[in-house]
Each structure stands twice: as structure tokens, then as C-alpha cells.
Amino acid sequence: MRHVFINELVKESKKDKDIYLITADLGFRAFEIFQKEFPERFINLGVAENNMIGVGAGMALQGKKVFVYSILPFLVFRSLEQIRNIICHNNLNVKLVGGGGGFSYSVQGISHNTSEDLSVMRSLPNMNVYNPGSKIEAAIAIRTLFDIKGPSFIRLGKAPENDYYKEKPKYKIGDGLLIKNGNDITIFCSGNITEVVIDAVNKLRNQNINAKIVSMICLKPINSKFVVSQITSKNVVTIEEHSEMGGLGSAIADILMNNNLSHHISFKKIALKDRSHKEIGSHNYLRKLNGLDCDSIVKKIIKLIKK
């Protein structure tokens, strides 16, 4: 998805001379196009992530529109103090772009695979949080960043080969995007696990279970009225390649409770358990190990409906 990000950034930078891109020695084989087009607005600060956040904040104070890129663990966890104290508390116009998320870096292990980033970023004041699941969703989220001021964070995982939208849908900040309709169960999902969710829903259809899929590309803010309006069944599931703590599942659970729906709905989170994920293997292997593969999702949904 980083190629989608950089292509959209190049388009917008041709119209807006205040846009800058900062990286911490990452983005190779993707950012060269921006560097060639706008060499004076591309800054590689080397392996100095904390300094990268500080420089971006200083430029934002001078009226620049700053996009800061690194892979997720280096961007979020290594620089959390600077993001919180400098960017969020001063409500600065800095956009944080993180590559990876979940098990995207698979065999790189626990240092690179993140299951807590969305939860952490959602908890920060003034921070908008995006988690697109396809190239079209990534383009929508990135275009949104150009139109809003203040801090934003976007998680860019690996895009599926085939997009699940025939054309670019209209989008309003805080809403989700309807992918499939169904009356037996409502599934809210986020990020590149959506591709797996679609496969699972197609298998469920063979068992006469029709599921609705709503993709939540924005996890903060979330439009509660939109979420409630999409619930057309007594069974509701959230699916995400992220911890069960503080991510999409927690956000939807809060909405159900705040709207007095928790007594009328069977709700389940399908997410990563609250533990250290130390196992190493391919992306698909780690998903299966944690119950996020297609067959596991199908079994969990059938169990919920029968219950």
C-alpha cells in the first residue's frame, strides 16, 4: 500500500508546495519517485526515529504539511513519547504513516510484528486513526488526510492482489464501507484481513449463511450512527489482525453498549489474544496459528450463529 500512498502524495504535492515527506532510512523502491520530483521536500533523517518526529513537529509549527514514514514498530513504539508529548498535545498537523501491521513482517518476529499499534494510537488525544485493507481503501484514506488538519495515523499493510471494489466508493470520515449485504450476521472488519473475511463469507454462503461485511477504514473517529444503522442481524462480529484489546472490537463494543444494544445482540471479537506473539513463520501460518485464517473464521461464525 505504500506505493498507493506515494502516488497520491506526488499528485497532491504538485498542487501544494507545503507538503514534505520525512523518513528514517526506509521507503526504498517506493519513495524514489517523490525524491526525484521534489528533492528539496524529501528528508531522510537516517536511523533516528525520535529525531524524525521532532523535526516533523518543528516543520508543522512553521505551517508545513508533514508526512512522516517508517515501519510500524519503529514509528509507533520507538517514538511514542515524542508523538504524545509533541505532536498530539500541541495538535500539530503531522501525518504518521506506518508500514506493516499485524503479521505483515511475518518471519521478522516479535520486534517487527505489531498487535498493539491501533490501540495505542486510538488512545492518544487529537489523533485520527486509519486502517485501510486494499489499494482503493488506502487511496481513500490518504486523500482524507489531505483534507483534515491535526495529527493522523495510518497503518499500511500489504494490499491484496485483487481489490474488492469495482469502483472507488464515496466515503465520509468516520463511516465504513459496505462490501457485501446479508441478514444472518453483520461483520465489521478493518485492514488487510478483510480479504480473508471475504473468502470466509463466500464459504458461509455455501452453508446458507448470508453475512454482511462492513469495512471500517477509520477507527477514530467512528460514526456511531453509521455503525448502528448497519446492524441488520442479532449476530455481530468484529474481525481484525490486531489485539482484542483497544482496537476495532473494543470500539464497536463501546458503541453497542452506549446505544443500549448489548442486551439484544450476540457479539464476538475475532482478533489476536492478549499475549506476546513470539512465534515466527509466514503470514498465513501466523494467521492460522491465531485463528485468523479463513477456515477458523468460518467455524467461529457458525458456532456463534448456532449458539
Side-chain angles (χ1 to χ4, degrees):
M1 292 185 198
R2 64 177 184 168
H3 294 282
V4 177
F5 159 62
I6 207 66
N7 289 336
E8 293 295 333
L9 193 66
V10 167
K11 291 178 190 175
E12 192 68 17
S13 297
K14 290 178 179 179
K15 300 182 289 184
D16 192 336
K17 295 182 179 180
D18 285 331
I19 291 178
Y20 283 75
L21 174 61
I22 302 177
T23 183
D25 213 31
L26 287 166
F28 300 107
R29 291 185 295 177
F31 290 180
E32 288 81 1
I33 182 175
F34 187 94
Q35 184 179 16
K36 182 179 180 180
E37 190 84 24
F38 314 104
E40 73 285 356
R41 289 191 268 159
F42 176 78
I43 303 173
N44 184 347
L45 287 171
V47 185
E49 289 83 0
N50 302 155
N51 189 41
M52 174 178 68
I53 299 299
V55 170
M59 295 174 67
L61 286 169
Q62 297 300 313
K64 305 304 179 184
K65 300 171 184 177
V66 185
F67 287 77
V68 175
Y69 176 88
S70 186
I71 68 171
L72 272 174
F74 302 163
L75 177 67
V76 174
F77 301 118
R78 189 172 292 176
S79 305
L80 182 57
E81 180 182 358
Q82 287 74 24
I83 293 171
R84 175 182 180 268
N85 291 351
I86 304 175
I87 293 176
C88 292
H89 286 187
N90 293 290
N91 200 24
L92 299 181
N93 192 24
V94 178
K95 315 304 183 187
L96 305 172
V97 183
F103 297 124
S104 293
Y105 287 108
S106 56
V107 296
Q108 301 291 341
I110 193 171
S111 64
H112 283 55
N113 293 322
T114 60
S115 60
E116 319 90 348
D117 53 303
L118 297 173
S119 174
V120 170
M121 300 307 281
R122 283 185 66 237
S123 71
L124 296 177
N126 297 316
M127 182 68 73
N128 286 7
V129 179
Y130 296 85
N131 185 29
S134 73
K135 292 179 180 179
I136 287 179
E137 289 189 358
I140 290 171
I142 292 159
R143 297 304 309 178
T144 300
L145 298 185
F146 298 140
D147 298 328
I148 59 174
K149 292 183 179 180
S152 290
F153 166 75
I154 181 169
R155 179 203 250 205
L156 296 179
K158 293 180 180 179
E161 291 185 10
N162 300 313
D163 215 302
Y164 30 84
Y165 299 101
K166 293 181 180 179
E167 57 185 26
K168 195 172 182 178
K170 294 181 180 179
Y171 179 71
K172 179 182 177 182
I173 296 176
D175 288 357
L177 294 170
L178 178 63
I179 296 176
K180 285 182 180 290
N181 242 320
N183 296 318
D184 295 319
I185 187 166
T186 303
I187 301 174
F188 293 98
C189 55
S190 185
N192 56 5
I193 194 68
T194 301
E195 182 182 28
V196 181
V197 174
I198 292 172
D199 290 340
V201 165
N202 289 334
K203 282 194 173 184
L204 287 168
R205 186 172 296 167
N206 294 332
Q207 301 191 42
N208 295 318
I209 296 174
N210 293 312
K212 171 184 278 190
I213 306 176
V214 181
S215 176
M216 302 299 294
I217 68 174
C218 181
L219 300 186
K220 183 185 175 186
I222 290 182
N223 183 354
S224 297
K225 291 182 179 180
F226 171 84
V227 170
V228 172
S229 72
Q230 293 300 307
I231 298 174
T232 53
S233 62
K234 67 177 183 179
N235 298 300
V236 175
V237 169
T238 57
I239 304 177
E240 57 191 316
E241 195 169 314
H242 181 270
S243 170
E244 60 188 354
M245 309 289 288
L248 173 65
S250 296
I252 299 298
D254 286 346
I255 291 172
L256 295 178
M257 185 168 61
N258 292 338
N259 287 273
N260 298 316
L261 296 173
S262 55
H263 297 298
H264 310 292
I265 287 174
S266 295
F267 174 70
K268 182 177 180 60
K269 297 179 185 178
I270 299 178
L272 300 177
K273 298 300 181 184
D274 181 28
R275 66 176 181 85
S276 295
H277 295 272
K278 299 178 181 179
E279 301 84 3
I280 295 175
S282 70
H283 200 160
N284 290 335
Y285 168 78
L286 293 173
R287 280 177 169 172
K288 185 174 183 179
L289 190 67
N290 289 279
L292 287 177
D293 62 300
C294 180
D295 290 340
S296 296
I297 290 172
V298 168
K299 290 177 182 178
K300 289 176 182 179
I301 289 176
I302 290 175
K303 184 177 180 181
L304 175 67
I305 290 177
K306 287 183 176 180
K307 183 179 178 181

